[in-house]
Amino acid sequence: MIIAASSNSDFQMSKENAADTGNIILNHDFSDGLHFWRPNYGCDAFVVPAGSGYHNGLTTAIVSKRNQCWHGLEQDITSRISAGSTYTVSACVGASGTFQGCVNVLATLKLVYQKSETSFQSGEKKSVSNDGWGMLEGSFSLSTMPNEVIFYLEGPPPGAHLLIKSVVISCSSSTTCDESKDLMEKAPIITAYNNFDSQNHSKGTSTIKMEMIFSLRIAVTRYLPLLSIFLIFKSAMHLLEE
């Protein structure tokens, strides 16, 4: 995995831009709170909505109560990637706290194989100042497909808050992207578990409204060919009757 830090300051990514790149990250800009996301290793997370006045009024995910540098925010991307494909990563990240100078933020893949054997692939670090932002960019590919692939952001020292505005992971290999697309279409309906609710600060489960989008996409993909055959057959029968 190669994750390179970019000096690009234009890090405000819209929903439309994410859709155009075929983003495999669900709820990439936290517009639906923490749906599909979860804090790892017992830390907490919440989302500050747009218009709150916090960090230029943009929607921001904040990971707090971090006791270790690897505490962060993660998403399971297993069903939406495939071995042999190349994926580009672009994440707008920051940090805040009592630290002086700059701290590092990095993207990591947690790979879980059979018998719960686990390995981690981390890339280069992006240095950000206190309450500052930066764009973390790079790419990764997998030669073999693990049982689970978890993408997460980590890095700032214990006690510091990890800040995330948006994450985009897209397939950059045109010859293998169709495989990833098929995996997305065949992915089961997902219900995410949130350790922290940004509205009432309580634990619970949430039904993801994006399920409807994936359900519709799967239905269209599966049944459109059958509909086309039916219409052709109907037209042919009509011609024969004439």
Side-chain angles (χ1 to χ4, degrees):
M1 177 181 180
I2 302 174
I3 301 289
S6 171
S7 59
N8 183 8
S9 60
D10 184 16
F11 48 72
Q12 298 182 9
M13 293 172 289
S14 65
K15 295 180 182 179
E16 292 78 8
N17 290 337
D20 291 341
T21 60
N23 194 3
I24 68 171
I25 291 292
L26 305 179
N27 188 25
H28 81 286
D29 58 358
F30 306 100
S31 56
D32 288 325
L34 288 177
H35 291 173
F36 295 108
W37 293 92
R38 61 176 180 261
N40 58 12
Y41 302 106
C43 56
D44 284 334
F46 59 97
V47 173
V48 177
S52 63
Y54 184 80
H55 279 284
N56 298 323
L58 298 176
T59 301
T60 303
I62 302 176
V63 187
S64 61
K65 296 184 179 180
R66 301 177 58 259
N67 298 321
Q68 301 292 338
C69 62
W70 56 82
H71 287 175
L73 200 62
E74 67 182 28
Q75 184 173 138
D76 190 329
I77 60 173
T78 309
S79 63
R80 300 186 296 281
I81 66 171
S82 60
S85 300
T86 299
Y87 299 89
T88 58
V89 180
S90 182
C92 179
V93 297
S96 67
T98 58
F99 61 87
Q100 301 293 324
C102 295
V103 298
N104 294 316
V105 179
L106 63 148
T108 301
L109 288 181
K110 177 182 178 181
L111 310 176
V112 182
Y113 296 90
Q114 293 181 354
K115 299 181 180 180
S116 299
E117 295 181 0
T118 304
S119 64
F120 298 86
Q121 292 188 10
S122 298
E124 296 184 20
K125 304 167 184 177
K126 175 61 180 177
S127 180
V128 294
S129 60
N130 199 344
D131 285 330
W133 294 93
M135 183 65 83
L136 190 62
E137 293 184 328
S139 63
F140 71 86
S141 62
L142 300 175
S143 57
T144 59
M145 191 64 192
N147 292 356
E148 294 181 38
V149 182
I150 310 296
F151 171 85
Y152 70 97
L153 294 162
E154 56 168 325
H161 291 172
L162 172 61
L163 312 177
I164 309 168
K165 284 184 180 175
S166 58
V167 182
V168 173
I169 299 180
S170 57
C171 183
S172 60
S173 176
S174 59
T175 58
T176 52
C177 280
D178 289 340
E179 297 178 9
S180 297
K181 181 179 179 181
D182 291 340
L183 289 173
M184 290 180 69
E185 292 171 346
K186 296 175 182 177
I189 301 302
I190 301 170
T191 298
Y193 177 81
N194 291 338
N195 287 333
F196 197 96
D197 190 328
S198 62
Q199 299 299 323
N200 54 26
H201 293 189
S202 62
K203 293 182 179 180
T205 57
S206 299
T207 301
I208 311 307
K209 66 181 181 180
M210 289 180 68
E211 294 173 359
M212 300 175 61
I213 299 174
F214 281 95
S215 298
L216 179 60
R217 183 177 179 182
I218 293 171
V220 171
T221 303
R222 289 180 178 176
Y223 299 115
L224 186 58
L226 295 177
L227 179 61
S228 299
I229 294 174
F230 172 76
L231 292 176
I232 293 174
F233 177 77
K234 187 175 180 180
S235 298
M237 292 298 296
H238 180 71
L239 292 174
L240 290 175
E241 290 175 356
E242 292 179 350

